[in-house]
């Protein structure tokens, strides 16, 4: 079986329990069950019959052409066919379900895995299987099951870190204390579950996203009444998740229901990503050009541009440590900083005037030393993201947050950036930068194994493009001829890129005057042109796959244009667009009318301007994007794209609205909506 991309689940136990082959096979079977469910929705109560019909684990993988391996990694030639009694199935569902999960609950992939894992434990003898798993199986007992399932800091297999919760609560209390809507609810008490109750209406998470990347959400689109109904809360959660994707968060395993129920491990995971994005926002050459001080030549500059913010932060930290005569190289924010020696040296280099006696290095006790380091940080005005014990324990997320905040407060780099010729290529024109951002966020939203930090650098080895091609056109990649990173030989990268272009030609992309080495060399114009065709193909395929609407017909750009104009006209509005580059679109009025046509209640007309002046256009564009995400559209454009009528982004916005509308059970068929199709 080919490599289909790493399947990642948020539950560490499930990630350890199943091999990647298992997860890919199970993911395919889950998708099949969900797509063929009678109501179009897979429910918790449907799983016993569904899993029983699927048969053995080997049979589940047979459709993929690969045997499914058991917990020990051995192939099972003839495992027992699932044959649980009704009573045993009831016990399985009780074991994996929280007290507030109902039989009609929609099943996401992770819940499916939990049921499947528990079913396997029952089939293999329960106790022995759990002993083999090191006692880390599904926990339950006749006397304490309910107490465990509803425990405040544990959701089934998910034990949250109280240190992380306290740190994130402190961040929220500090940064959102003056927010008009939240100030009566803050400060949050980290010793309670108040945080998880406060996030149930979605407002706090939306505010936190805007704090991380200002302007992501038009706050006029957030439902902020004191008493929200279920529909309004769901709109906030939908807006939150789509906006989180739009700033680079991974939300593959999180749904609106998880937020509505206040699932601690999922909420903390999302908050962690949002805060991380906020703290690392300036750790790049565009925001902090002084980082050029870390490199000596164009080759090092190229390497620096391809690094993630975390790696840049490590490089910056080692650069400063070298100034202080520190002998070791810090390679992570966990084990390498447990003794606090690197912290002590870093703070002495950045803020020697804030040092005090005794020196941390003169203290042998690690907790005491860590405490002195944090006192030094306090004196230089750095917020605390961790306690002394968190340093000694090497909690990576909190140490990363701590170092990022030190960088924000005082990076120790020269304000007079040295003039070197290889800096010229760092800045791009605004449209190229926006398009790179849109494509990067779109790629990251697909759930591939590699996280993209810079499109022009991270795609050059061809591997990520192959992963994206396999997502967009499943089965198109021949993984036997793919070269997996790290790739040192340039011709291996070219081989990957050549296969990408070969697939592109097979699916009718326009690829005149582009070769594999153009991608390897980072040709921005050609890379953006290819990614646009890939993104457009993905959108059109999604629309085509709604076969009950399109009857299997190919969808074209013109079909989308005709559909949008007809929806607006049928709603009684007069605005129309001649094409996706129609200059009248800059006012935003057409898209407001289109959103209102597909869901009349979603637009607050008192917030819509005439769109005549630039300021009015900006307000309309910002509102349109947030309302579309609030409906459930996954879009990655910026207000400027609407104001400047970026043809590509106008198509993606319209197509996303069309896709959301057509996939609703209540929507009419495509042929009924547009007689020309």
């Amino acid at each position: 079986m080919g490599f289909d991309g790493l399947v990642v689940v948020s539950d560490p136990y499930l990630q350890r329990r199943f091999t990647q082959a298992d997860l890919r096979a199970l993911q395919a079977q889950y998708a099949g069950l969900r797509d063929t469910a009678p109501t179009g929705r897979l429910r918790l109560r449907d799983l016993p019959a569904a899993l029983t019909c699927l048969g053995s684990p080997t049979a589940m993988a047979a459709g993929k052409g690969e045997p499914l391996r058991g917990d020990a990694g051995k192939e099972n030639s003839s495992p027992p066919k699932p044959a649980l009694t009704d009573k045993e199935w009831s016990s399985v569902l009780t074991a994996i379900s929280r007290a507030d999960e109902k039989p009609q609950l929609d099943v996401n992939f992770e819940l499916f895995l939990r049921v499947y894992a528990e079913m396997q434990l029952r089939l293999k003898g329960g106790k022995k299987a759990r002993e083999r798993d090191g006692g880390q199986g599904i926990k339950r007992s006749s006397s304490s099951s309910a107490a465990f399932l509803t425990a405040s800091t544990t959701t089934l297999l998910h034990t949250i870190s109280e240190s992380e919760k306290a740190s994130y609560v402190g961040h929220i209390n500090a940064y959102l204390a003056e927010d008009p809507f939240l100030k009566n609810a803050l400060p949050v008490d980290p010793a309670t579950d108040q945080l998880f109750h406060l996030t149930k209406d979605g407002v706090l998470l939306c505010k936190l996203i805007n704090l991380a990347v200002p302007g992501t959400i038009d706050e006029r689109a957030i439902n902020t009444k004191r008493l929200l109904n279920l529909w309004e809360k769901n709109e906030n959660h939908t807006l939150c998740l789509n906006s989180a994707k739009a700033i680079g968060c991974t939300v593959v395993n999180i749904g609106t229901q998880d937020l509505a129920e206040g699932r601690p491990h999922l909420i903390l995971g999302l908050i962690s990503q949002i805060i991380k994005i906020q703290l690392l926002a300036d750790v790049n050459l565009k925001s902090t050009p002084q980082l050029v001080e870390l490199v000596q030549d164009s080759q090092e500059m190229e390497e620096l541009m391809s690094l993630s913010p975390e790696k840049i932060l490590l490089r910056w930290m080692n650069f400063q440590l070298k100034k202080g005569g520190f002998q070791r190289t810090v390679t992570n924010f966990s084990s390498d900083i447990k003794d606090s020696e690197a912290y002590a040296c870093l703070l002495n280099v950045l803020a020697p005037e804030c040092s005090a006696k005794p020196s941390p290095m003169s203290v042998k006790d690690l907790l005491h030393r860590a405490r002195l380091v944090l006192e030094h940080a306090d004196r230089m005005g750095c917020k605390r993201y961790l306690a002394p014990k968190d340093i000694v324990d090497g909690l990576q997320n909190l140490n990363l947050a701590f170092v990022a905040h030190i960088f924000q407060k005082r990076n120790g780099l020269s304000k007079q950036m040295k003039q070197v010729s290889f800096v010229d290529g760092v800045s791009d024109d605004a449209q190229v930068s926006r398009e790179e951002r849109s494509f990067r966020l779109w790629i990251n939203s697909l759930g591939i194994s590699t996280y993209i930090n810079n499109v022009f650098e991270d795609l050059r080895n061809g591997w990520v493009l192959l992963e994206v091609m396999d997502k967009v056109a499943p089965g198109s990649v021949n993984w036997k001829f793919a070269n997996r990173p790290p790739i040192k030989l340039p011709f291996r990268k070219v081989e990957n890129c050549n296969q990408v272009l070969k697939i592109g030609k097979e699916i009718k992309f326009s690829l005149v005057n582009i070769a594999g080495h153009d991608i390897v060399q980072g040709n921005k114009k050609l890379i953006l042109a290819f990614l646009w065709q890939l993104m457009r193909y993905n959108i059109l395929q999604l629309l085509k796959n709604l076969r009950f609407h399109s009857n299997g017909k190919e969808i074209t750009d013109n079909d989308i244009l005709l559909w949008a104009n007809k929806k607006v006209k049928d709603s009684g509005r007069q605005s129309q667009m001649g094409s996706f580059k129609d200059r009248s679109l800059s006012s935003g009025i057409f898209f407001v009318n289109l959103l209102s046509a597909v869901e009349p209640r979603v637009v607050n007309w008192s917030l819509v301007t005439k769109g005549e002046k630039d300021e009015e256009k900006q307000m309309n564009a910002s509102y349109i994007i947030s309302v579309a995400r609030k409906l459930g559209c996954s879009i990655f454009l910026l207000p400027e794209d609407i104001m400047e009528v970026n043809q590509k982004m106008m198509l993606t916005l319209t197509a996303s609205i069309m896709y959301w509308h057509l996939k609703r059970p209540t929507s009419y068929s495509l042929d009924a909506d547009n007689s020309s199709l």
Side-chain angles (χ1 to χ4, degrees), residues 606-672:
S606 67
L607 301 177
V608 180
T609 71
K610 293 182 179 180
E612 295 173 348
K613 301 177 182 178
D614 285 345
E615 183 180 355
E616 292 177 340
K617 292 179 180 180
Q618 169 79 30
M619 293 176 68
N620 282 352
S622 176
Y623 186 62
I624 288 163
I625 292 170
S626 291
V627 168
R629 288 176 180 151
K630 185 176 178 178
L631 277 180
C633 300
S634 183
I635 50 178
F636 304 98
L637 71 164
L638 292 171
E640 291 80 1
D641 292 315
I642 296 177
M643 295 171 65
E644 296 172 13
V645 192
N646 182 320
Q647 182 179 358
K648 299 172 184 176
M649 296 301 111
M650 296 303 92
L651 172 60
T652 61
L653 174 59
T654 310
S656 296
I657 298 171
M658 180 180 179
Y659 179 70
W660 174 84
H661 174 70
L662 293 181
K663 72 178 181 178
R664 293 190 306 170
T666 55
S667 63
Y668 298 103
S669 71
L670 189 58
D671 288 325

Side-chain angles (χ1 to χ4, degrees), residues 361-375:
M361 300 304 293
S362 66
V363 176
K364 292 185 178 181
D365 180 74
L366 294 184
L367 273 175
H368 189 192
R369 186 186 298 170
R371 190 175 299 111
L372 293 175
V373 162
L374 292 179
E375 289 172 359

Side-chain angles (χ1 to χ4, degrees), residues 93-206:
L93 297 184
T94 300
I96 62 90
S97 300
R98 281 177 33 153
D100 55 350
E101 286 179 344
K102 307 300 182 185
Q104 66 270 23
L105 175 72
D106 286 353
V107 176
N108 59 25
F109 179 54
E110 194 159 319
L111 181 56
F112 173 81
L113 287 179
R114 282 155 46 193
V115 174
Y116 182 79
E118 182 65 10
M119 179 190 77
Q120 286 300 99
L121 286 175
R122 298 303 174 96
L123 289 170
K124 294 179 181 180
K127 183 176 180 181
K128 289 183 180 180
R130 284 190 294 278
E131 289 174 350
R132 184 192 61 212
D133 286 343
Q136 296 185 47
I138 307 289
K139 301 178 183 179
R140 60 192 178 278
S141 70
S142 57
S143 61
S144 61
S145 175
F148 172 77
L149 293 173
T150 57
S152 60
T153 59
T154 309
T155 305
L156 299 171
L157 304 170
H158 311 282
T159 302
I160 67 173
S161 166
E162 291 296 336
S163 294
E164 288 197 28
K165 183 175 81 168
S167 176
Y168 303 150
V169 165
H171 181 96
I172 290 168
N173 288 340
Y175 283 96
L176 292 175
E178 300 303 317
D179 184 271
F181 182 82
L182 296 172
K183 62 182 180 181
N184 292 330
L186 300 180
V188 175
D189 183 356
T192 68
D193 286 342
Q194 184 185 355
L195 173 64
F196 309 121
H197 292 294
L198 194 57
T199 57
K200 287 185 177 181
D201 63 7
V203 177
L204 185 144
L205 293 173
C206 288

Side-chain angles (χ1 to χ4, degrees), residues 333-603:
F333 294 107
S334 181
S335 57
D336 285 2
I337 49 78
K338 286 184 175 183
D339 58 11
S340 298
E341 290 182 1
Y343 279 150
C345 180
L346 177 66
L347 296 180
N348 276 331
V349 170
L350 297 177
E353 74 281 3
C354 296
S355 61
K357 294 184 178 181
S359 166
M361 300 304 293
S362 66
V363 176
K364 292 185 178 181
D365 180 74
L366 294 184
L367 273 175
H368 189 192
R369 186 186 298 170
R371 190 175 299 111
L372 293 175
V373 162
L374 292 179
E375 289 172 359
H376 189 163
D378 285 343
R379 287 191 292 273
M380 60 183 284
C382 287
K383 287 185 175 64
R384 288 217 181 180
Y385 282 91
L386 70 180
K389 188 175 185 300
D390 299 329
I391 296 178
V392 176
D393 290 344
L395 296 186
Q396 181 169 326
N397 284 347
L398 299 187
N399 280 288
L400 171 62
F402 181 55
V403 176
H405 190 66
I406 292 173
F407 179 88
Q408 278 189 344
K409 192 69 180 178
R410 190 177 303 193
N411 60 40
L413 298 173
S414 173
K415 293 182 180 179
Q416 297 295 323
M417 188 177 73
K418 60 182 180 180
Q419 296 298 315
V420 284
S421 59
F422 52 83
V423 179
D424 297 339
V426 173
S427 59
D428 298 305
D429 67 75
Q431 182 164 333
V432 168
S433 181
R434 289 204 306 272
E435 288 193 7
E436 185 277 336
R437 172 191 176 278
S438 296
F439 294 138
R440 169 166 41 88
L441 294 171
W442 169 68
I443 291 173
N444 286 333
S445 75
L446 295 176
I448 64 173
S449 62
T450 310
Y451 190 87
I452 302 302
N453 293 291
N454 184 301
V455 160
F456 305 124
E457 298 299 322
D458 295 348
L459 301 188
R460 290 172 62 174
N461 63 16
W463 178 262
V464 173
L465 279 174
L466 287 173
E467 288 189 280
V468 175
M469 297 296 288
D470 201 46
K471 284 282 186 181
V472 172
S476 62
V477 178
N478 188 339
W479 292 106
K480 292 181 180 179
F481 298 102
N483 303 296
R484 188 169 187 170
I487 306 172
K488 295 183 179 179
L489 299 175
F491 78 91
R492 295 294 186 193
K493 299 178 182 178
V494 173
E495 286 178 350
N496 281 351
C497 294
N498 283 340
Q499 184 179 174
V500 167
L501 297 179
K502 179 176 178 289
I503 297 169
K505 290 176 182 177
E506 290 172 355
I507 55 180
K508 312 300 184 189
F509 284 8
S510 174
L511 298 173
V512 180
N513 297 326
I514 178 172
H517 66 83
D518 293 314
I519 298 175
V520 175
Q521 292 174 359
N523 186 309
K524 295 181 180 180
K525 182 179 179 180
L526 294 178
I527 288 174
L528 289 179
F530 181 82
L531 287 178
W532 161 239
Q533 294 187 76
L534 196 55
M535 188 179 191
R536 176 179 170 276
Y537 177 83
N538 180 228
I539 293 170
L540 297 181
Q541 286 300 110
L542 288 174
L543 289 169
K544 178 187 174 183
N545 289 339
L546 294 173
R547 294 190 182 278
F548 57 94
H549 294 297
S550 68
N551 296 322
K553 298 176 183 177
E554 295 292 335
I555 304 296
T556 67
D557 297 4
N558 193 51
D559 294 333
I560 299 170
L561 179 72
L562 292 172
W563 171 85
N565 279 331
K566 188 172 190 304
K567 289 304 297 182
V568 172
K569 183 178 179 181
D570 289 349
S571 71
R573 303 284 175 179
Q574 298 302 313
S575 60
Q576 297 279 281
M577 64 172 166
S579 69
F580 292 112
K581 54 184 178 181
D582 189 330
R583 297 307 302 175
S584 68
L585 296 177
S586 65
S587 70
I589 298 299
F590 178 82
F591 288 112
V592 175
N593 287 335
L594 179 60
L595 289 166
S596 177
V598 298
E599 180 52 73
R601 64 176 298 282
V602 80
V603 174

